[in-house]
Amino acid sequence: MSCSALGRRLVACLLNISEARRRDLVETVARSAITDTHGKKREGITVLNIFNDVDYNRSVITIVASIDLIREAVLSACERACSLIDMNAHEGTHPCMGAVDLVPIYPLGEEVGLEDCGKEAWALATALTERVAGTSAFLFGWADSSQRRGLAQRRKEIGWFKKVKDMSSIQPDVGPQPTRRYGITGVGASPYVMNCNVTIDTQDLVLGRIVALAVRESSLGGIPGVQVMALPHEGAVEIACNVECVQGGPPSSLSYGEEQWPSFAIGGQNFCHAPASLITARVAELARHHGVAIKGTALVGFTPHECRRLAEGALSNGIGEFWKELRRLHM
């Protein structure tokens, strides 16, 4: 990563909200991160990307700022999302339990550590429940200071993967008992997590789950750092992967491919993550054994290096709505 002064205190929030079918609404939420209540532009904040998935009815908004500015930007976006999204009316094939479903804070700059992001995430969760009456949150990663439980574990504990609608049994870490209107929001901090989704050309969800299980980190021969779900998506099955960073260097086994694993440092500790090409190749190989081809791979957002590089460029040029620039570049 570059060592520019601008980038040294940067953090990213990949804000997940439970809406994608009303794109104007999603862009309204994104703009709330970069403008104040009077409509004035906030300096030092950019929205790099908006990823919408209509089948999932879920959007990911990539917000980047210095750790000193990120809280107010993200809180404003969360407040607007909560005012516009009612979970009573939500439909989509992706698991979710909150109007604002996920608020992860990731360090990008050399002067920001995981503990810093954890404290910021905790403060953000507390402020959200104070500003929007009826909202509640569970904490994960470095925001879960006593145990540092990972996101997948916390989601399993509250029934997120099963899309539990009865909120009465859920015990939040912050805020009151969750309501169906807002649901519950996951707030936390960790090394950067990417999303790499590989679509296989079948509607057989059982087959998709077999492939997902084989790729998952916890399985024998699975890919380190990869958490996986198989979900119906646009008439096919998507192998939806959360690609978490792994501490230390890349695995030495040849079974993990010859391509270099991108690496970076946080607080003097080295981390790396599986490349998307490896995940795609593994899914393709597993699907091929069952006579099924892949249809393509979609990356949600950026790698950590790309995120910082693009943010430095956007912020140095005062571009808050960078997602529009990105859209023009890809047209």
Side-chain angles (χ1 to χ4, degrees), residues 79-253:
E79 285 184 89
R80 184 57 62 90
C82 287
S83 73
L84 297 173
I85 301 169
D86 185 346
M87 289 303 289
N88 287 301
H90 183 269
E91 294 180 350
T93 59
H94 197 287
C96 64
M97 289 184 71
V100 177
D101 198 54
L102 182 65
V103 186
I105 306 293
Y106 306 134
L108 295 176
E110 296 84 2
E111 294 180 4
V112 182
L114 288 163
E115 292 79 7
D116 301 321
C117 290
K119 291 175 182 177
E120 195 61 33
W122 182 89
L124 198 156
T126 302
L128 175 61
T129 60
E130 291 172 349
R131 288 197 193 183
V132 183
T135 58
S136 55
F138 69 88
L139 304 175
F140 66 89
W142 270 254
D144 179 31
S145 56
S146 60
Q147 300 182 60
R148 289 189 183 172
R149 290 167 290 181
L151 176 60
Q153 180 182 346
R154 295 307 329 272
R155 281 174 162 175
K156 186 175 181 180
E157 289 170 355
I158 67 167
W160 184 89
F161 293 102
K162 297 179 180 179
K163 300 179 76 170
V164 171
K165 294 186 178 182
D166 180 8
M167 298 285 172
S168 62
S169 63
I170 297 173
Q171 297 300 315
D173 297 316
V174 185
Q177 192 69 35
T179 63
R180 183 62 189 153
R181 166 71 172 81
Y182 298 118
I184 188 167
T185 300
V187 184
S190 73
Y192 199 96
V193 177
M194 295 186 304
N195 299 98
C196 175
N197 301 333
V198 185
T199 302
I200 58 176
D201 194 9
T202 181
Q203 295 183 8
D204 186 347
L205 194 56
V206 173
L207 171 57
R209 287 170 177 157
I210 292 171
V211 172
L213 179 63
V215 175
R216 189 173 297 140
E217 175 185 41
S218 58
S219 298
L220 182 64
I223 302 174
V226 176
Q227 311 294 333
V228 198
M229 296 183 292
L231 300 169
H233 189 259
E234 297 181 350
V237 173
E238 187 161 83
I239 309 302
C241 305
N242 273 7
V243 186
E244 299 176 351
C245 290
V246 179
Q247 190 169 349
S252 57
S253 172

Side-chain angles (χ1 to χ4, degrees), residues 17-32 50 52 59 61 77 80-86 99:
I17 64 172
S18 297
E19 180 58 65
R21 296 169 186 173
R22 295 176 288 173
R23 294 203 174 190
D24 288 349
L25 183 157
V26 177
E27 292 202 2
T28 296
V29 172
R31 288 193 190 94
S32 297
I50 301 174
N52 308 100
S59 297
I61 302 169
R80 184 57 62 90
C82 287
S83 73
L84 297 173
I85 301 169
D86 185 346

Side-chain angles (χ1 to χ4, degrees), residues 31-52:
R31 288 193 190 94
S32 297
I34 56 175
T35 54
D36 64 20
T37 54
H38 304 291
K40 183 179 178 181
K41 178 184 174 185
R42 288 191 172 108
E43 297 299 327
I45 301 158
T46 185
V47 174
L48 288 185
N49 190 47
I50 301 174
F51 182 90
N52 308 100

